[in-house]
Structures are given as structure tokens and as C-alpha cells.
Amino acid sequence: HFLATEILAMLQDSETVADITVVPESEMHAHDTDCDSDQSDDEATGDHNRLPSRILKETRKVSGTNENVTSQIVGPMLHKTKNQDKKFKKIKIAAKAPAQANKKYQIPRYVPKEHDPGFTSDDPVDIFLTFYPKSLRDVTLEMSNLYAEQKGKTLNLTEDELLTFYGILLISGYNTVPRRRLLWSDDCDVSNNAVKDAMRRNRFDEIMSSVHLVDNMKITADPFFKVRPLFKHLNDINNAIPIAEHVAVDEMMIEYFGRHGCKQFIRGKPIRFGYKIWSLASSSGFVHQMEPYVGSHTHLVETGLGQGPSVVLGLAEKAEVPPGVKFYHDNLFTTLSLVDEMTLRGYGSCGTMRQTQLHNVPFTAPQTFKKTPRGDAEYLVEAEKLIVRWNDNSVVTVVSNMEREFTETEAKRWNKQKRTMDKVRQPKCIQDYNTHMGGVDLHDQFVSRYRVNIWSKKWWWPCFSWALNSAMVNSWCYYSGEKDLLSFQRLVAQTLLLRHGTKPSRQGRRSSMAVAITDATRFDNLNHWPCNTGSRYKRCKNCGGRTSFACGKCDVPLHVECFKKYHTE
């Protein structure tokens, strides 16, 4: 009653009713001291009919929209903008913890790190072997030989053989055959001379059956124990590359259809079944940090803000991202508390949001806002955050701490009725999001183009082969000589076979397919004639004796006496 009496006393001479907002002094900047208090504050002050005693007992500052009230409106104000007239309208907001936009706040200036002096070679093979580092290759050599000994076999794997093994795997990504053994076939339709001249088929099978990354005698509870060295060594070398100003956080999938506790299913993804990899990548597709999702054994810090914010902040910490870098993330990761925490750490943050994460932000309901013309937008500036809702093909909500004011640009959209491209207004923060968000998906797309096509029944083999392709894509993104990924991968694979392969001393036996083709020609009873070759040192195919005659069609040495018997029996 005392509060109502005070308000009415101020308006006793007024003929119109004012929109009144009651703001306690101590609540004005609560968000600056506790970034996790958004939800609790909203619950406490969201209903003006049930204000708690801690607010009613505070010193009151009364402000309104009436001309007789001299105070200015305190707190966030929701604005709507239409694609046609671009006029702003003020909307009343129920009493809640106010927050004023800090227009003086700026994300720290991005200062790029100098390149590591070790990355000076222009040779594609040297660059690839840098991003698939020697430390990882040494671990693979040691553990593979140890695993073979534990199985009672002698492998004696050398570095040249391992690099040749990698080259054959890379070749299988763009020169695919139904079965890997066909690469060593003599049949002209599937044979690969580069592979045959670099390593024996049986030796390749021996290496593939014994290749390992860890000692099985030291197994731990980590579900990804067998592939931890892969991610550790690759992350170490990727972190040596300066991080770009704009980076994206998203998940990648490693295809796998077998049984494993960490296998995931994501509806709508190009790869729906497999292992999930949290990734931090630049707009060009270069991955700076990757971490497999394995439940409680995921090697990322727990921030208490939820899984999505913990992934973003954990990847930023592991990659040692400097202040000033701008992060982009989708609605799986974005929360208001994440944006506040990124602001405190000096990072830019921009991401789409789900309706459930908006809490008491007074936006129009998505079902209602969808009925407005395409290009309409409404926004809210609160503290260091700009929250925008935009109507495109669907309703999109984006939050950003990199803009203090709402600005718009133009975008082209297809008009089904007119069958032409129309220009619509698009918020600038959404344009920036679309420009810089696709780095992880771009890397995933490049990996899937020429993915290693030699498979194994081991659950960790997809991670092993994926790591080769990921290192290849990062090498190509870093290297500026080849514009085409296929040309770059072919150059690396062929050079590995030529430099480190060993040509077999003798030819292997003929395949069963070649024998079957020869037999079909041998017994067709068409145009088989004996002819004199002029040579006396060929052995008859039937009896083994010396002869100068041969079958002109089969090109097989035969005595004239053995000619009929060879073609009929």
C-alpha cells in the first residue's frame, strides 16, 4: 500500500496513466557480479504481483514514460523493426532485474601469434609429416612391434615401412576398390602399380594386423584408451599454428556402425552413426583442437554452466586461445551464462539460441513471430549482450557480445510466389554468424571426400584412419601451393611410396581371376593356330620340352603334337 500511495502521489496532477517500472538500487547491476544469477533473478522479479521482501525493503527509484515523470527508463528495452518501414516500437516489460548496455565495452584487440619457425618447408610431404608428427609415428612403431611380440610374432616394423603403409591408406581414399587385396592384383582393371612396387601384399596385411598406439598391458578405464595418443599428438602440433581471429565450435562425426559404448546417433547429420568429436576450427577448415566425447571421461574442464558452455570454454583453454578471438557456436552450446563468461575472459561470442535458453527474455513467441513478414526483427540490448530474433525461412534467435547496437544489412532470398530473388533486411550479427560458423563442417566435408577406404573390424580403426585424413586436410589448409585437395593428397601419397617403398625382388603368383580369363580363351575353339616364333628356348606349356612353336591366340609355347591336347583337355 505504501508503494502504491507513493506512485499515485507523483501522478496526482496527471491526466494520463504512465507505464511505471520499479527498480531497486541494489539490483541494477547484479549481472555484473554474478553471471550465473540470470535465472534466479528472473524468477524473483519476473512477477510484479509477488515481489519478494528483499526488493520491497530496498530504496526505490521510480521512473516512467509519462511527461510529468522526469526520470529516464532504467533497464533493457525491447525493440521491433520491420523490413518495410524500419520504425522502432517500444514494448512494455514486466518488472525484472535491469541491465543497461555498456557501450564503452570492447572485446580486446586480436593480436595474431607469430608462426612457429619449424613450419618453413614448402614440400607437401614435409608439411604432412609435420602435422602427422614424428612423435606419433615413433609411438606407433614402438607399440606395434610390442603388440606383435605379445602375440608371439616378429614384426620388425621400420619407419620406411610405416610411411609406405600410410601412403597406401591415403591412395585407397581416392582410388577405391571393393577389397583391399585387389590393389595388388595383376588384372588390368583393378591393379595399382604404385602400390605393388612399394610393398608386398602379405607385408601390408602383417602391419595392419599389428599396428597399435598403446600398450595393452597398461589399459585404463578410459573407453578411448587405445586412441588417446592420436588426439594428444595431433592437438600438440595443431596448437603450434596461430589461431585465427574467427573460430567456430561444433561437433564432427567419425563413421562407425559397430558396437561401442561411445557410439552416437545424430539425426540429420551426413554421418549419423559414429564417434562424436568436439572441435575448434577456423573459418578455412583448419582444426586447432579436437576432443572425443566419451561421457565422464571426456578430457574437458567442467565449468558448472552445462555441457555446451563447458565444451566451448574447455576447448578454448586447451587450445590456449588468446584474448580478442571471436567464437561462433550453434544452439547446442549457446546460453546467456556462456556469453557472460566469454565476456569476462575477453573473448567474442556469437551463437544461435534455443527458446528454452531465453528464460524471461520478452520476445514474441516463435509461432506468432513466424507470421510476420520475412526480414522482421526484434532485439534486446542488455549489459554486454545483444539478443536478436529474426524471421527468415524460420525464426532465428542470436545472441552476441561483439555489438553494442543493432545494425542491419541486406541479404538475398528466393521468393516462391514471384520466382525471383528479393532483398530483405538481415541483422549484421546473423550475417557474421553465417560467414564464420562453418569451419568445423568444412573440415568434416573435406575429410569425407577422400576418406581412407581400407577397413578393419577393430573398433578404434575408424579413429586411426580418420586421423590420417584430418592431418591431410590440415596440411592442405596450411599449404598454399595446391588449390585442389585431391591433387595435394595424390602428391603426398605417391611421394611417400616412391621415397620409402621397396620394390619386390620377384613377381607374385597370378590371381585366380587372371587364370579364369586365360582358361576361357583357351577352350573357346576359335582361331587357335600354331605359328613358328623363331625361338628355340621356350618351354612347351603341355610337356615342358623345348619348342619354337606357339599358339598365335593364347601366346603360349606348344609343340605341334601337344597343340590339340592343350586346347581340349
Side-chain angles (χ1 to χ4, degrees):
H1 295 290
F2 174 77
L3 178 62
T5 302
E6 184 178 358
I7 296 174
L8 291 176
M10 296 179 58
L11 302 176
Q12 59 184 352
D13 297 332
S14 176
E15 297 180 358
T16 58
V17 179
D19 297 330
I20 303 299
T21 305
V22 181
V23 181
E25 292 278 1
S26 63
E27 296 287 309
M28 289 184 64
H29 302 290
H31 62 281
D32 292 334
T33 58
D34 183 5
C35 64
D36 294 333
S37 64
D38 290 339
Q39 184 175 1
S40 60
D41 287 346
D42 289 345
E43 291 175 353
T45 62
D47 186 359
H48 61 276
N49 293 321
R50 298 182 180 180
L51 296 177
S53 59
R54 65 183 175 86
I55 295 181
L56 294 176
K57 293 179 182 178
E58 291 286 347
T59 303
R60 291 165 293 281
K61 178 183 290 187
V62 183
S63 57
T65 59
N66 190 281
E67 296 178 356
N68 296 326
V69 181
T70 58
S71 301
Q72 296 180 353
I73 296 177
V74 179
M77 181 61 66
L78 178 67
H79 299 272
K80 286 190 176 182
T81 173
K82 292 188 177 182
N83 187 38
Q84 299 173 352
D85 53 13
K86 308 295 183 304
K87 293 181 179 179
F88 301 104
K89 298 181 180 179
K90 297 181 180 179
I91 306 298
K92 292 187 294 183
I93 304 176
K96 62 173 289 183
Q100 292 182 336
N102 184 3
K103 294 185 178 181
K104 295 183 179 179
Y105 174 80
Q106 295 289 338
I107 298 295
R109 188 172 65 89
Y110 167 73
V111 179
K113 186 174 66 174
E114 295 183 0
H115 282 256
D116 191 293
F119 296 85
T120 57
S121 176
D122 292 332
D123 184 9
V125 179
D126 292 340
I127 294 177
F128 170 73
L129 294 181
T130 300
F131 284 100
Y132 200 88
K134 181 173 174 55
S135 58
L136 178 55
R137 303 197 301 270
D138 291 341
V139 169
T140 307
L141 280 173
E142 180 184 357
M143 293 298 109
S144 299
N145 288 323
L146 177 61
Y147 178 76
E149 291 179 6
Q150 293 171 349
K151 293 297 182 179
K153 299 184 294 184
T154 302
L155 184 62
N156 293 329
L157 180 62
T158 64
E159 185 173 6
D160 285 337
E161 289 180 322
L162 182 63
L163 292 175
T164 304
F165 178 75
Y166 291 155
I168 295 175
L169 293 179
L170 293 173
I171 284 179
S172 71
Y174 59 84
N175 187 8
T176 60
V177 290
R179 294 185 299 276
R180 70 169 185 261
R181 290 195 163 200
L182 292 178
L183 292 172
W184 286 268
S185 172
D186 287 333
D187 302 330
C188 59
D189 57 338
V190 293
S191 64
N192 191 307
N193 292 329
V195 173
K196 290 192 297 183
D197 292 343
M199 179 179 284
R200 285 282 193 179
R201 184 191 67 190
N202 290 348
R203 182 57 176 171
F204 181 89
D205 291 342
E206 289 176 359
I207 297 174
M208 188 164 179
S209 64
S210 299
V211 66
H212 251 65
L213 297 167
V214 292
D215 184 0
N216 283 354
M217 299 294 103
K218 300 178 181 179
I219 193 169
T220 66
D222 185 0
F224 263 43
F225 163 75
K226 283 183 174 288
V227 293
R228 280 298 174 189
L230 274 177
F231 297 97
K232 177 184 180 301
H233 291 280
L234 292 181
N235 283 332
D236 289 344
I237 196 64
N238 292 340
N239 287 345
I241 300 299
I243 295 180
E245 182 178 3
H246 302 276
V247 295
V249 176
D250 208 346
E251 73 270 7
M252 293 190 291
M253 292 289 287
I254 300 177
E255 188 175 36
Y256 180 67
F257 295 100
R259 294 185 178 182
H260 194 273
C262 296
K263 186 178 75 171
Q264 301 284 310
F265 169 74
I266 302 181
R267 189 183 305 276
K269 283 283 187 178
I271 299 177
R272 295 185 300 162
F273 294 93
Y275 305 117
K276 182 190 292 186
I277 309 295
W278 302 123
S279 302
L280 174 70
S282 65
S283 301
S284 63
F286 185 95
V287 171
H288 293 277
Q289 190 73 25
M290 46 193 170
E291 181 64 33
Y293 172 68
V294 288
S296 60
H297 292 277
T298 304
H299 291 183
L300 291 176
V301 295
E302 180 57 46
T303 61
L305 302 179
Q307 184 192 60
S310 296
V311 169
V312 177
L313 297 172
L315 291 175
E317 288 185 7
K318 295 191 69 174
E320 300 178 355
V321 179
V325 173
K326 301 173 177 60
F327 286 74
Y328 298 86
H329 31 80
D330 61 23
N331 58 22
L332 177 65
F333 308 93
T334 310
T335 63
L336 296 177
S337 58
L338 170 63
V339 178
D340 290 336
E341 182 64 26
M342 296 287 279
T343 302
L344 293 176
R345 300 190 182 196
Y347 298 137
S349 179
C350 179
T352 56
M353 290 192 66
R354 297 176 179 177
Q355 180 66 22
T356 55
Q357 293 294 338
L358 290 176
H359 303 299
N360 291 335
V361 175
F363 276 158
T364 307
Q367 296 81 2
T368 305
F369 197 69
K370 178 65 178 175
K371 300 177 182 179
T372 62
R374 173 186 269 182
D376 279 13
E378 57 182 355
Y379 66 94
L380 178 68
V381 179
E382 182 177 10
E384 288 82 23
K385 298 188 293 291
L386 170 67
I387 309 174
V388 177
R389 172 161 286 176
W390 183 54
N391 186 21
D392 192 21
N393 294 328
S394 60
V395 177
V396 182
T397 305
V398 171
V399 59
S400 173
N401 68 348
M402 293 179 283
E403 295 185 26
R404 305 277 72 80
E405 297 180 354
F406 177 81
T407 56
E408 289 183 310
T409 59
E410 285 189 349
K412 292 184 179 180
R413 292 293 185 268
W414 177 254
N415 190 319
K416 292 183 179 180
Q417 287 75 23
K418 298 181 181 179
R419 302 187 64 82
T420 57
M421 297 294 292
D422 288 346
K423 291 183 178 180
V424 299
R425 302 299 296 176
Q426 182 184 51
K428 185 177 182 301
C429 58
I430 295 181
Q431 183 188 58
D432 294 340
Y433 175 87
N434 293 336
T435 302
H436 303 292
M437 177 56 197
V440 176
D441 291 335
L442 193 62
H443 185 93
D444 217 2
Q445 177 185 352
F446 290 147
V447 167
S448 63
R449 282 184 179 178
Y450 310 111
R451 185 172 49 200
V452 171
N453 198 42
I454 293 178
W455 295 91
S456 171
K457 292 183 179 180
K458 298 174 181 177
W459 69 265
W460 54 266
W461 178 259
C463 298
F464 181 86
S465 59
W466 176 88
L468 273 175
N469 288 119
S470 180
M472 177 62 65
V473 173
N474 271 3
S475 305
W476 174 65
C477 291
Y478 182 83
Y479 180 68
S480 58
E482 289 288 347
K483 295 183 179 180
D484 183 16
L485 175 60
L486 175 59
S487 300
F488 184 84
Q489 184 164 332
R490 289 184 61 196
L491 180 60
V492 172
Q494 293 179 38
T495 306
L496 286 176
L497 297 189
L498 291 175
R499 287 183 184 178
H500 306 283
T502 302
K503 188 173 183 178
S505 58
R506 59 186 180 85
Q507 187 177 7
R509 61 185 179 184
R510 300 176 66 196
S511 66
S512 59
M513 178 65 70
V515 173
I517 294 175
T518 302
D519 289 345
T521 306
R522 173 182 173 184
F523 299 112
D524 63 1
N525 295 325
L526 294 175
N527 300 325
H528 292 275
W529 303 100
C531 58
N532 193 339
T533 62
S535 173
R536 306 179 65 87
Y537 299 100
K538 291 186 177 181
R539 295 286 180 177
C540 177
K541 191 69 174 178
N542 186 60
C543 67
R546 291 186 176 182
T547 180
S548 60
F549 287 87
C551 175
K553 183 176 182 179
C554 299
D555 196 21
V556 174
L558 290 169
H559 289 111
V560 176
E561 301 84 28
C562 301
F563 196 85
K564 181 178 180 181
K565 187 176 182 179
Y566 175 79
H567 288 92
T568 56
E569 297 180 4

